[in-house]
Amino acid sequence: MYSDSPEFFCDPPLTPKEYEEEKTVIYPLDRPFVDRIEECIQRFRARRRMDSERDVVFSRYLALGGVDCTTRQFQSTRKVDPEDLEGLSKAEVREITADDVVQRGDVKQDRRWYNPEHPEHWEVDFAGVAAGFCSVEISYLAISDESLYRMGVETIFNFLKYVEHHEVCPEYVQDVREAQRVCETALDEMPTVVNVTSKLPGAFNTAAAYLFCDGPAEGVVAIREDSDWQVDEKPLDGPTARVIFGTAVAILLDPELGKSLSGPDAVVVDTEEGTFEIVNISLAKDGARSWFRAASNHLSTMGVKLQTCGFLTVRPKDLMDGYDNSLNDALSITGEVTFILEESILQELKVSQIIQMTVCTMNAGGFKFIKSVTQLLPTFYTFLPQSLMVKFKEPVRDRRPAPSIHSPNYQEEALAGIPVGDGEEVDV
C-alpha cells in the first residue's frame, strides 16, 4: 500500500543571484507564459537527472499537456557532439539539447501539440491534466504496479511543487495547487480502487447471478474464508448461494418482495451493461445489523460465511472515454437505482466514483442486482481528448492506390518491384 503523502524532492536553496535572475530574466510576468513554462520544464528535467522510468512517465505527462517532447532529429544530447558544446553556458547547452518544446509559428505545424499561434480548443489547466494523467494515462503504464504508479504521481507532484516554488506562473498558482491536491487524492484513492475492484460484485450479487443467470459465471467465487477477502477462496454452490441471497433479501427488503424473490417463479427479465455514478452509500441500520449478526453466527456452524450488507445507490452517467458509442445509449435505466452490497465493499467506495457494470432486472418488483463489474474509476476521473492525439500521424501522399478487387496484391507487387503504374495520389 502507499504511504499517506507523496515523497518530496528537496531543491537546494537559491542564491540571491539565482533568485534575482529567475525574477527578472527567466520568469518575469511580462514574459509570455509559454516561454516561461517551456524553460521551466527544461530546467526541471535538467536538474532532476531522471532515470529511464521517470523520464518516460514525465514525457507522457507533458505530451498529455500538449508539450512536444519527442526527440529532435539532429539535436538533444544524443545527437550533438560534446565538442560543439564547449564554451557554451549551461543555459545555452540546455536550450540546444532540450527535447521539451512548445511549438510556435505556422511552419510545419504538428497538430498533436499546443501552439500559441493556434490556441483553438486549448486552455491552461494544470488540475485537468493532472487528473487525466493520474486517472487514465498512467494506468496504461503502471497497470497494477503500485510502486510504478506511486513513482509516476510523485514525479508530477514534484514538478508542480517546482512550478510553485520558483513562481513560474503566479497567475495560475491556484490551479497549480489544485493539481497538487489531485495528485495527493490519487495516491490516497487509487490503491483502494484497485483493492475494491477485486472484491466486486461481492458475495450477495454473485450468489444472485449464480441462481438466476445462465449458470455460475466462469471462474466466479462468492465466499472467501476471511473478512479481508484474501487469496483463499471457497467455490460457490447452489445451497450456499440460496442461503446468502435469501437471508439478505429477508433482512433488508419488504417481506412480500423478499418472499417473491425467494419463490420458484423469480426470473431475470432483462440484462444490460452501463456506466453509473455512485450517488449514495448506506450502511446497515442497527436493527438489520443485529439480524445479520445472529444469522451469521447460526450459518457459520454450517460453513457459510454471511456478511452484513447495505445499499449502494447509483445513477446512469455518460462516460467520456474516447469511444463514439456509449454503453448508455441503449440503457433503459434512467433514474437512480439501488443495489445490495456487502459493507466491507461499501466502506471502500466513494460517492462520485464511476462504475461500469452489468445489471440484471428481475420480474419481482423490478429488483436489480449486479451481475459483473467491468471497471471502477476514481472520483477525479478525467478523459482528455489529447490522449487520442499522442500517436496521431499526419496523412502523407502516396502514389500507390490501396488494394482492390482488381488488384488485391497491389502493395505486395509494388514492394517486390513489379511495375504497377503511376496511379493517382491518395491520402494514407
Side-chain angles (χ1 to χ4, degrees):
M1 298 296 289
Y2 303 148
S3 63
D4 294 335
S5 60
E7 295 180 1
F8 295 91
F9 181 96
C10 184
D11 281 313
L14 295 174
T15 65
K17 182 179 179 181
E18 290 173 333
Y19 177 78
E20 187 64 24
E21 182 186 20
E22 287 194 354
K23 292 289 290 184
T24 60
V25 179
I26 302 175
Y27 306 128
L29 282 177
D30 57 356
R31 190 182 184 193
F33 167 74
V34 291
D35 295 344
R36 283 179 278 148
I37 196 66
E38 179 184 70
E39 186 150 0
C40 169
I41 293 169
Q42 294 171 359
R43 292 170 69 89
F44 175 81
R45 196 192 286 270
R47 280 195 170 200
R48 296 305 162 93
R49 300 184 182 277
M50 303 178 192
D51 58 29
S52 59
E53 286 187 336
R54 287 184 185 272
D55 185 73
V56 169
V57 167
F58 188 57
S59 294
R60 289 289 288 266
Y61 166 76
L62 295 178
L64 194 63
V67 178
D68 183 1
C69 50
T70 55
T71 303
R72 289 192 272 180
Q73 187 173 3
F74 301 108
Q75 290 177 263
S76 84
T77 54
R78 285 163 281 190
K79 297 293 183 181
V80 178
D81 192 322
E83 294 182 358
D84 297 334
L85 303 178
E86 293 181 0
L88 300 179
S89 66
K90 291 183 178 180
E92 291 171 329
V93 171
R94 183 172 56 249
E95 183 177 356
I96 291 174
T97 61
D99 291 328
D100 309 310
V101 296
V102 177
Q103 290 202 351
R104 297 172 179 82
D106 295 316
V107 179
K108 295 184 178 179
Q109 179 194 358
D110 191 333
R111 288 183 288 174
R112 291 180 296 172
W113 316 117
Y114 169 72
N115 187 325
E117 306 295 331
H118 302 275
E120 302 86 4
H121 312 299
W122 289 94
E123 64 181 28
V124 178
D125 187 359
F126 285 93
V129 175
F133 180 79
C134 293
S135 63
V136 178
E137 197 69 15
I138 196 175
S139 300
Y140 298 144
L141 298 174
I143 308 177
S144 59
D145 189 335
E146 294 183 359
S147 61
L148 182 56
Y149 183 87
R150 178 180 180 82
M151 179 273 294
V153 176
E154 286 179 346
T155 300
I156 307 312
F157 183 87
N158 287 330
F159 169 70
L160 294 167
K161 278 292 184 182
Y162 182 93
V163 172
E164 181 183 5
H165 176 67
H166 290 268
E167 299 180 0
V168 177
C169 46
E171 67 270 40
Y172 296 114
V173 66
Q174 294 303 322
D175 191 23
V176 171
R177 290 172 181 169
E178 179 61 29
Q180 294 171 16
R181 286 190 285 270
V182 169
C183 292
E184 292 174 328
T185 300
L187 290 176
D188 175 66
E189 185 175 340
M190 283 304 291
T192 305
V193 168
V194 173
N195 182 51
V196 75
T197 300
S198 66
K199 301 179 182 180
L200 290 166
F204 172 81
N205 289 287
T206 304
Y210 186 103
L211 294 172
F212 302 110
C213 297
D214 297 331
E218 183 178 355
V220 162
V221 292
I223 307 302
R224 304 205 171 145
E225 295 180 356
D226 54 70
S227 59
D228 292 331
W229 293 63
Q230 298 296 322
V231 177
D232 296 331
E233 300 175 351
K234 179 180 178 181
L236 183 65
D237 54 37
T240 301
R242 282 191 288 272
V243 168
I244 293 174
F245 180 83
T247 304
V249 299
I251 294 174
L252 295 175
L253 301 181
D254 177 80
E256 289 298 322
L257 177 57
K259 184 178 180 180
S260 300
L261 290 172
S262 301
D265 297 329
V267 295
V268 170
V269 294
D270 189 25
T271 300
E272 50 190 344
E273 186 176 7
T275 305
F276 303 85
E277 178 185 17
I278 298 176
V279 296
N280 189 48
I281 297 171
S282 301
L283 302 181
K285 296 181 179 179
D286 292 341
R289 193 180 303 279
S290 298
W291 280 107
F292 272 110
R293 187 182 304 112
S296 177
N297 293 336
H298 174 70
L299 293 173
S300 62
T301 62
M302 305 164 53
V304 177
K305 187 173 181 61
L306 180 68
Q307 298 185 57
T308 303
C309 295
F311 296 101
L312 176 73
T313 303
V314 301
R315 63 186 173 201
K317 180 179 179 64
D318 289 330
L319 182 68
M320 290 186 61
D321 55 5
Y323 292 92
D324 185 47
N325 298 321
S326 172
L327 285 174
N328 290 8
D329 287 345
L331 192 66
S332 64
I333 301 173
T334 57
E336 293 185 357
V337 59
T338 300
F339 300 95
I340 295 176
L341 207 59
E342 283 71 25
E343 278 195 347
S344 60
I345 297 177
L346 292 174
Q347 291 169 345
E348 296 189 59
L349 295 174
K350 293 180 181 294
V351 172
S352 297
Q353 287 180 335
I354 299 171
I355 183 168
Q356 182 180 330
M357 57 187 177
T358 300
V359 177
C360 293
T361 303
M362 300 188 64
N363 61 342
F367 177 78
K368 294 177 173 59
F369 64 86
I370 304 170
K371 181 179 181 181
S372 61
V373 173
T374 304
Q375 64 177 339
L376 176 67
L377 300 173
T379 56
F380 55 90
Y381 172 82
T382 303
F383 174 79
L384 299 177
Q386 171 64 8
S387 62
L388 301 176
M389 293 294 293
V390 173
K391 295 185 179 180
F392 170 79
K393 292 184 178 180
E394 293 283 350
V396 296
R397 307 296 293 181
D398 188 358
R399 295 185 63 83
R400 297 192 302 270
S404 67
I405 58 173
H406 303 293
S407 302
N409 300 318
Y410 218 30
Q411 299 283 1
E412 289 79 359
E413 292 172 357
L415 293 174
I418 301 174
V420 294
D422 291 336
E424 296 181 359
E425 289 189 349
V426 295
D427 287 331
V428 296

